[in-house]
C-alpha cells in the first residue's frame, strides 16, 4: 500500500474521531461546562454546520496545488480541536467545533482527487476506499478510545489527542504526498456548471436519502439492542466494535469491486441490499443474534456504498471536482440529520420502528442509484 494513501487515510481518521466521538462524551462535557444534555447536543449540530459551510472554501483554493490545500485543511482541523480542548465555556467550545467541521467535507473532496491521481491504473476506486478507510477505523477504534479517555481522564484529552494527531498528519502529508498540481481553473461559475446536469443530483440524492434511511435506525441502535434485542448494557461496546468492523470491511471490499464491476453497479446493488436489511431488522430485532448479524451487515453496506458515491461524484463533476467531492459529504451529513429526526419520531412506536421508517428513504436512494446506473454509468 502506498504511503501517500496512508497519509490521506490518517487525515480521515482524525476527522472521523472529531465528528463521531462527541456523541459518546456528551455527559462529560455537560457536567464540566454545567449545561444540560440537549444544549450539549449543539456541539454535534454545529460540527455538521461547519461541514456544510466549509465546502465553498474550495472555491477559494481552486488555483492552489492540491498538496497545499490538504495541508491548510489539516491545519484548520488541528486548530479547531486544540481550541475545543482548551474551551473554558459553551461559546468557545461551540466555535472550536464549528472550526473543526469546516475542513471535513473539503478534505474529502480534495483527498478523493489526490487519491485518484496517485492510484495505479485501473485502481482508482480502491485508492479512494483506502482514503475513506480512516473514517471507518475511527468508528472501530478511535471513537471507543475517545470515550475511554473522557471517562478515565477528561473529555478535553480526547480533543487534545485529535489536535496532536492533526500535527502528525500534517507531517506525513508533507513528507509522503508528492507535489500535485492544481486542477484546471474553470472560473467561479465553472465550479458549479456540473450541477446543471441530472447525473450529479442523482448521486447526491442517493447519498442523502440512502444514508438517511440507515441513520433512521443507527441513530437509535443502543436502545434497540438493549430494549428490543435484549442485550445487556455492558455488551454494547463489543457490539459497536462489531459494527465498526463491518464498516471497515464494507469500505475496502467495495473499493475493489467498484474497479472490477463499476461503481454504479456496486452502489446500486448495495443500496438495494440496505432496503432488505432494514426490513429484516424490523422483523427480526427481537432475536438477539439475528439483530447483531443484521447490524453488522447494515454497517458493512453503509460504507460499501460510500466509496462508489465518492468516486462517481468526482467523475460526473468535470470542472468542479473538488466542490463535487465535498458536496457528497454535505449530502451524507444532511442524510444523517434527516434520518436521526425521522427515526426519533418512529421511536414512539417502539425502538424497532426506526428501521422500518428508514426503508422508504433507502428505497428512494436505491431508485436514484438504479436510474444513474442505467442512464449514465456507461459515460463515466
Amino acid at each position: 500500500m502506498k504511503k501517500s494513501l496512508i497519509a490521506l487515510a490518517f487525515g480521515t481518521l482524525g476527522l472521523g474521531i472529531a465528528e463521531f466521538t462527541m456523541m459518546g462524551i456528551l455527559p462529560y462535557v455537560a457536567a464540566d461546562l454545567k449545561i444540560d444534555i440537549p444544549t450539549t447536543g449543539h456541539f454535534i449540530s454545529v460540527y455538521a454546520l461547519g461541514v456544510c459551510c466549509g465546502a465553498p472554501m474550495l472555491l477559494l483554493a481552486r488555483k492552489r496545488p492540491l498538496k497545499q490545500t490538504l495541508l491548510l485543511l489539516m491545519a484548520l482541523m488541528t486548530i479547531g480541536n486544540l481550541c475545543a480542548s482548551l474551551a473554558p465555556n459553551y461559546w468557545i467550545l461551540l466555535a472550536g467545533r464549528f472550526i473543526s467541521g469546516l475542513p471535513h467535507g473539503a478534505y474529502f473532496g480534495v483527498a478523493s482527487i489526490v487519491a485518484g491521481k496517485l492510484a495505479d491504473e485501473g485502481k482508482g476506486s480502491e485508492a479512494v476506499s483506502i482514503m475513506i478507510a480512516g473514517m471507518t477505523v475511527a468508528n472501530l477504534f478511535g471513537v471507543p478510545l475517545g470515550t475511554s479517555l473522557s471517562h478515565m481522564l477528561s473529555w478535553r484529552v480526547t480533543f487534545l489527542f485529535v489536535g496532536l494527531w492533526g500535527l502528525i498528519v500534517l507531517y506525513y502529508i508533507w513528507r509522503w504526498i508528492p507535489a500535485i498540481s492544481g486542477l484546471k481553473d474553470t472560473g467561479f461559475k465553472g465550479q458549479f456548471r456540473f450541477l446543471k446536469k441530472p447525473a450529479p443530483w442523482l448521486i447526491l440524492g442517493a447519498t442523502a436519502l440512502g444514508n438517511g434511511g440507515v441513520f433512521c435506525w443507527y441513530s437509535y441502535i443502543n436502545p434497540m439492542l438493549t430494549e428490543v434485542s435484549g442485550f445487556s448494557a455492558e455488551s454494547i461496546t463489543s457490539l459497536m466494535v462489531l459494527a465498526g468492523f463491518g464498516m471497515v470491511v464494507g469500505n475496502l471490499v467495495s473499493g475493489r469491486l467498484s474497479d472490477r464491476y463499476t461503481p454504479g453497479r456496486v452502489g446500486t446493488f448495495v443500496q438495494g441490499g440496505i432496503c432488505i436489511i432494514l426490513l429484516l431488522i424490523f422483523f427480526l430485532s427481537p432475536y438477539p443474534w439475528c439483530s447483531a448479524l443484521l447490524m453488522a451487515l447494515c454497517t458493512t453496506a453503509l460504507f460499501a456504498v460510500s466509496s462508489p458515491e465518492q468516486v462517481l461524484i468526482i467523475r460526473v463533476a468535470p470542472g468542479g471536482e473538488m466542490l463535487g467531492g465535498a458536496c457528497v459529504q454535505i449530502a451524507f451529513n444532511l442524510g444523517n440529520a434527516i434520518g436521526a429526526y425521522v427515526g426519533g419520531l418512529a421511536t414512539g412506536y417502539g425502538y424497532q420502528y426506526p428501521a422500518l421508517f428508514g426503508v422508504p428513504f433507502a428505497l428512494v436512494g436505491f431508485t436514484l442509484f438504479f436510474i444513474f446506473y442505467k442512464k449514465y454509468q456507461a459515460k463515466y
Side-chain angles (χ1 to χ4, degrees):
M1 187 181 298
K2 293 184 176 181
K3 290 182 177 180
S4 52
L5 297 178
I6 295 175
L8 294 176
F10 280 173
T12 58
L13 173 61
L15 291 167
I17 298 174
E19 179 178 19
F20 293 116
T21 199
M22 179 57 78
M23 300 173 188
I25 66 174
L26 287 181
Y28 306 110
V29 177
D32 187 32
L33 298 183
K34 296 179 175 57
I35 55 179
D36 56 32
I37 293 293
T39 302
T40 314
H42 297 170
F43 302 130
I44 298 175
S45 302
V46 77
Y47 186 96
L49 180 61
V51 174
C52 296
C53 293
M57 293 191 310
L58 292 178
L59 297 174
L60 304 176
R62 66 183 188 273
K63 298 181 182 180
R64 306 302 303 170
L66 297 176
K67 182 175 179 177
Q68 287 186 15
T69 305
L70 285 175
L71 289 170
L72 176 62
L73 294 171
M74 269 299 108
L76 202 57
M77 186 202 83
T78 301
I79 292 170
N81 282 283
L82 291 177
C83 177
S85 71
L86 300 172
N89 55 47
Y90 167 86
W91 293 106
I92 301 298
L93 181 54
L94 199 70
R97 290 290 291 168
F98 179 76
I99 294 171
S100 301
L102 285 174
H104 186 111
Y107 182 89
F108 273 86
V110 179
S112 297
I113 298 169
V114 173
K117 287 179 174 289
L118 296 173
D120 294 330
E121 186 176 353
K123 294 188 176 182
S125 297
E126 183 179 352
V128 172
S129 73
I130 292 171
M131 180 273 293
I132 295 175
M135 183 68 71
T136 63
V137 173
N139 280 279
L140 179 59
F141 296 116
V143 173
L145 173 62
T147 304
S148 297
L149 288 174
S150 298
H151 177 70
M152 294 186 295
L153 300 172
S154 168
W155 61 269
R156 298 178 185 277
V157 176
T158 300
F159 289 120
L160 178 62
F161 170 80
V162 179
L164 295 177
W165 180 256
L167 293 175
I168 295 173
V169 177
L170 278 169
Y171 171 76
Y172 283 121
I173 289 177
W174 172 74
R175 183 73 183 273
W176 286 352
I177 294 181
I180 301 174
S181 59
L183 298 172
K184 181 181 178 181
D185 182 23
T186 57
F188 184 83
K189 292 183 179 179
Q191 299 293 308
F192 297 92
R193 195 169 291 129
F194 73 95
L195 293 173
K196 294 181 179 180
K197 300 178 181 179
W201 290 107
L202 289 171
I203 298 301
L204 295 174
T207 302
L209 295 172
N211 285 293
V214 174
F215 275 90
C216 271
W217 155 77
Y218 195 62
S219 299
Y220 304 94
I221 183 67
N222 192 319
M224 190 205 78
L225 290 172
T226 55
E227 298 190 24
V228 179
S229 303
F231 286 102
S232 65
E234 291 74 19
S235 64
I236 296 301
T237 299
S238 299
L239 289 167
M240 289 300 98
V241 171
L242 176 63
F245 179 74
M247 294 177 185
V248 174
V249 172
N251 174 62
L252 295 177
V253 170
S254 77
R256 294 199 171 196
L257 292 177
S258 293
D259 283 326
R260 184 172 182 178
Y261 297 107
T262 75
R265 179 181 293 182
V266 173
T268 302
F269 177 81
V270 173
Q271 190 61 56
I274 288 174
C275 300
I276 297 171
I277 293 170
L278 287 174
L279 199 59
L280 290 174
I281 289 173
F282 172 71
F283 287 110
L284 299 179
S285 57
Y287 305 96
W289 295 110
C290 285
S291 182
L293 175 61
L294 290 169
M295 175 197 68
L297 288 175
C298 200
T299 56
T300 299
L302 173 64
F303 272 87
V305 80
S306 294
S307 177
E309 290 166 347
Q310 197 75 46
V311 170
L312 286 172
I313 197 65
I314 300 297
R315 294 182 182 178
V316 303
E321 292 90 345
M322 287 196 296
L323 185 61
C327 282
V328 163
Q329 294 303 309
I330 294 175
F332 186 91
N333 279 270
L334 181 62
N336 293 358
I338 294 172
Y341 176 76
V342 174
L345 298 177
T347 58
Y349 301 95
Y351 283 112
Q352 70 270 44
Y353 277 85
L356 181 63
F357 277 52
V359 172
F361 287 94
L363 187 59
V364 176
F366 164 74
T367 303
L368 294 175
F369 234 129
F370 183 76
I371 293 172
F372 173 86
Y373 173 66
K374 286 297 184 181
K375 294 190 66 175
Y376 300 105
Q377 178 62 79
K379 300 179 182 179
Y380 303 102

